Amino acid sequence: MGVDFSALRTLINRYCAGEENWVDSRTVYIGHKEPPPGADAFIQQRFPDNRVVSSKYTFWNFIPKNMFEQFRRVANFYFLIIFLVQLIIDTPTSPVTSGLPLFFVIIVTAIKQGYEDWLRHKADKAVNQCPVSVIQRGKKIKKESFRITVGDVVFVKEDETFACDLILLSSSRDDGTCFVTTASLDGESSHKTYYAVQDTKAFRTEEEVDSIHATIECEQPQPDLYKFVGRINIYMDNEAVARPLGSENVLLRGATLKNTEFIYAVAIYTGMETKMALNYQSKSQKRSAVEKSMNSYLVVYLCILISKALINTVLKYIWQADPNKDEPWYNERTEAQRQRHILIRAFTDFLAFMVLFNYIIPVSMYVTVEMQKFLGSYFIMWDDDMYDEELGEGAVVNTSDLNEELGQVEYVFTDKTGTLTENNMEFIECCVDGHVYVPDAICNGQVLSGAAAMDMIDTSPGPGGREREELFFRALCLCHTVQVKEEETVDGIKHGIHQGKSASFYISSSPDEVALVEGMKKLGFTYLRLKDGQMEILNREDEIERFELLEVLSFDSVRRRMSVIVRAASGDIFLFCKGADSSILPRVISGKVDEVKARVEHNAVEGLRTLCVAYRPLSPEQHQEVCRLLSGAKLALQDRDKRLSEAYELVEKDLILLGATAVEDRLQEQAADTIESLHKAGMKVWVLTGDKMETAAATCYASRLFRRNTQILELTTKRVEEQNLHDVLFDLSRTVLRHHGSMTRDNCSSLSNDCTDYGLIIDGATLSAVMRPPQEDLNSGSYKEIFLEICRNCSAVLCCRMAPLQKAQIVKMIKASKEHPITLAIGDGANDVSMILEAHVGIGIMGKEGRQAVRNSDYAIPKFKHLKKMLLVHGHYYYIRISELVQYFFYKNVCFIFPQFLYQFFCGFSQQPLYDTAYLTLYNISFTSLPILVYSLMEQHINMDILKKDPSLYKDVAKNSLLRWPTFIYWTVLGVYNAIVMFFGTYFLFDNTTFTSNGQRMTTNTQMMFGNWTFGTLVFTVLVFTVTFKLVLDTHYWTWINHFVIWGSLVFFVLFSLLWGGIIWPFLNYQRMYYVFMQMLSSGPAWLSIILLITASLLPDVVKKVIWRALWPTITERIQVNAGSFHVLAFLHVSGHRFSACVRCSCLLRNTRVDIYSPKQAECFIDEEKESNVTPPRPRRSLETAPEQRRLVL
């Protein structure tokens, strides 16, 4: 009896003989059936179940994990150390004063994060317990989703969502296809076609599917949604038949089955190994400029804190060097403590002073900032002006940490297609051998309106030309991935396009393909459907032509083309190919190349998107060779993409050029106005696109990126071929530097067209050469610096023919330049994700290229026009608000703790607290926190209409102007001044016998009552009122919420003080505050001193503001003065059911003259505004004439 060692030999070869490639693959046994004898060994692999976990914590690890994460923050860790010091050594303040604010912050944060994680647990449970139909032993059974395992055969009905990643085995459709929407994965709502394995697509019952005997070998899970490599081995009569598996066979978790009754599929990736779960990982954390400033200020105040503690420690031992001045009796030091080594005593005292002064570090500021960002983000999402009726969606905030960064943007990097344009393609014309065809008329470039399309086509050139024209139309009807969506009519019968045209429409993931197929329909050739591998088209004689679809060579961004191989009814085999001219023309061996190329360039200048179409007849032998090449590449498990690319290169050659097409992508509504506003706001706008130069340049003119007087500088491959790169760069550098400082857009009046500025155009190939590291044998050094210098002096830059990675490289280069400007990237497609993630702020457009950009962005908006309000209004407001919040927090804490520092000079440096423990604890938590929080949410220093009308106001807050060191020093000095006034003002008034006795004879009780706690309480009362009134003076926009919170906080302080000192609290071991506040308020001079000290504290700041506004007013301050003095326009304009209050304020932006308008004049003004926002017409003009057609919006 012989022994078969083949299985053992296979194992040894795979795992011991160096075949490492097998480590990266897995074997899936369909239905958990072992392979037949003689096949590969059955190796039971362990895979995770289908449980999806998006939560961060469990019941057991929440407390330790959350505490660890919170104490990783420097401020929290610092206060924890201070709290521990208070517990360990004898400190002047109770541990409660540091512990309570810290634990309040920790608990609030933990509750917030715990609640969010509980919601994730709840969502996970709902998903994991969803019922799923699974085939077992020829029967359908129901399983909870989390119980599905790899190898289970799943049954899915129409409109159900896939519970895991599946390989399609069969469907209810005869051709084995199914339609799927992947909106939850990439946002695309269009129907995508997926294909069943050819050998299993006929199995449509549970018994038939259960009889399948096969294994799947595929790659290990990886997060790329659009890549899959595998093969299926189907065992028939104990012989394996291998078939390739690709992304077109994989149904991803989260996608939904559409327009298909049911499917059978096998699970290959489950649970956290599904592609959707692998895409859960969070993006890298971005930090705003304000946060960096906060950390810098924190370091400064930490140094101040250490200096204070060190100075007091040194002075204490200098003071105690006098034998008559020992440790104060009330510190209750034991003899053992007095006998310690002086260094130990000095270190202990140093820590005690650190604890006493630690309130200068505002721990509650971090909580307030987090709340301001979180709550403030809802104002963006609730903004009705940023809601799009067509999409039914508004703005989305994916991260609220960068709200203020929207007000600091210096560079805007934008995509073109789908961002500046609508990505809504309209077929304009096609060119066949130099003859131009349009949907309504044709005549060699002459558009004859009103002529019938069929009549004009019949007059096209001779029989040979007619044959090539029809071949061109057939090529466009066949070379695509368009699907036909058939809707049921009223009587419930489905109609095809040739039966009921109004009931069917085309759908595709590419809007270009739909436009081309619909264009061919207008020219007499209608694509009907793909059925049983046959593509059907209806020609102009209403005859149905059928072509067998043999191969599809899919489009990819590297090749920039796609092809199909079809067999006609006559038996002839054709390869039809369409793609970018740069991709098609080099592969053409015949055809009227010059005529077609000239038309392509003409249409590109007109701003149209162009494609070239070519074909290649294949003999049966050539077809067999092509099939062999493609089959070998598709069956490869390793380097499949590379081998397919090599095979495509060999197949797509020796083409015969047929012609070219032109489709239009219209400019988005108000895109030009938005770019104009961004320029006026001081931002530089760069367009990064993969389109060809002429098309992109025409769009830039139409969108006002380039103006009529813009001098275009070209840094392109064509010019570099004529001159070397070194010479071109230095020529451009000399050109722009010659006019530096006088010819830039920033120095030009927006009302003048006489000023010249520069616009740069660069392509991807030249950019690669510029970005290349310098060679050692060249003396030129790096070209990058020269390129950056040129770009700095250009008002706008257009980068065309860009790869996605190059977009990110440009953003990274600008970020790393010596100015370190704040960058913003905006796009709508997957190719924009890299630059969105690279920029300081990433914004996604809810466009038609999927939602990958939206998912990876920090903010998402429906249209490009909404960027204007996002930056000029929301960004401006949030920066103003959070800047005031940060400076105010440090200011009020200086006012709070500096009197404590001064007090040590009057108490023998004994670490005696000036304020009561309750005041120390509640100052930042209750008495002063809510007013600044409401201010940071509500403040509008200028009306938002003015901000939109004069974008130059954005420059007032540019470059982090409100958080610069001079401003920080001013706030700190103001805080120190206020503290000195409060302390010494109270000290001198307190020392007055008239005050202490209230005009009466001083008694012992009175003298005791007006002791150190009364002194501290009086200072604290002046402090609370002063810092609150400081905020009142800075508030420009008052609502009932501001009034309620500001005055309510003061009332709460008074009531708390009365209650705290009016009752003997049994749980306290001291009653030092009993009746102190009431006794203080019973003194008339105390009231007078409070008023005088508050006035003296605030007066310098008021005087400074008055002088500065009178002598050196900013544009913002000038508008505030005028807006406060006049009602520029007060009327209500009734429009339908809406009331619009309009404010005419543009005259205030340049001077102080104010015009008063009548209602009639105001209505005219509204009409003018509406006209100024009309979308520019389609740019059907040359580069020279395009700018002249635009109207300047004043």
Side-chain angles (χ1 to χ4, degrees), residues 892-954:
K892 71 185 183 72
N893 276 34
V894 169
C895 295
F896 178 45
I897 215 62
F898 199 73
Q900 179 73 73
F901 172 74
L902 296 175
Y903 186 59
Q904 296 307 303
F905 290 85
F906 295 87
C907 66
F909 306 99
S910 62
Q911 300 137 19
Q912 170 65 27
L914 175 62
Y915 311 116
D916 180 62
T917 301
Y919 289 156
L920 285 170
T921 305
L922 297 178
Y923 175 73
N924 279 317
I925 293 179
S926 301
F927 299 149
T928 61
S929 59
L930 278 181
I932 185 59
L933 175 61
V934 172
Y935 173 94
S936 66
L937 292 172
M938 299 289 185
E939 174 64 3
Q940 296 182 22
H941 62 300
I942 297 180
N943 186 280
M944 66 175 62
D945 293 327
I946 302 178
L947 289 177
K948 286 191 289 186
K949 291 183 186 304
D950 189 0
S952 64
L953 293 173
Y954 192 85

Side-chain angles (χ1 to χ4, degrees), residues 5-62:
F5 292 97
S6 60
L8 180 61
R9 189 184 306 113
T10 301
L11 283 174
I12 294 173
N13 286 339
R14 287 188 184 179
Y15 298 103
C16 302
E19 287 189 30
E20 296 90 356
N21 289 338
W22 285 96
V23 176
D24 295 329
S25 65
R26 64 166 55 184
T27 302
V28 177
Y29 301 97
I30 297 180
H32 308 287
K33 296 178 182 177
E34 298 183 16
D40 291 346
F42 176 70
I43 306 170
Q44 186 64 48
Q45 301 181 49
R46 295 181 63 85
F47 301 112
D49 61 19
N50 200 38
R51 195 187 313 270
V52 170
V53 180
S54 62
S55 55
K56 191 175 183 179
Y57 307 105
T58 65
F59 179 80
W60 304 107
N61 72 6
F62 173 73

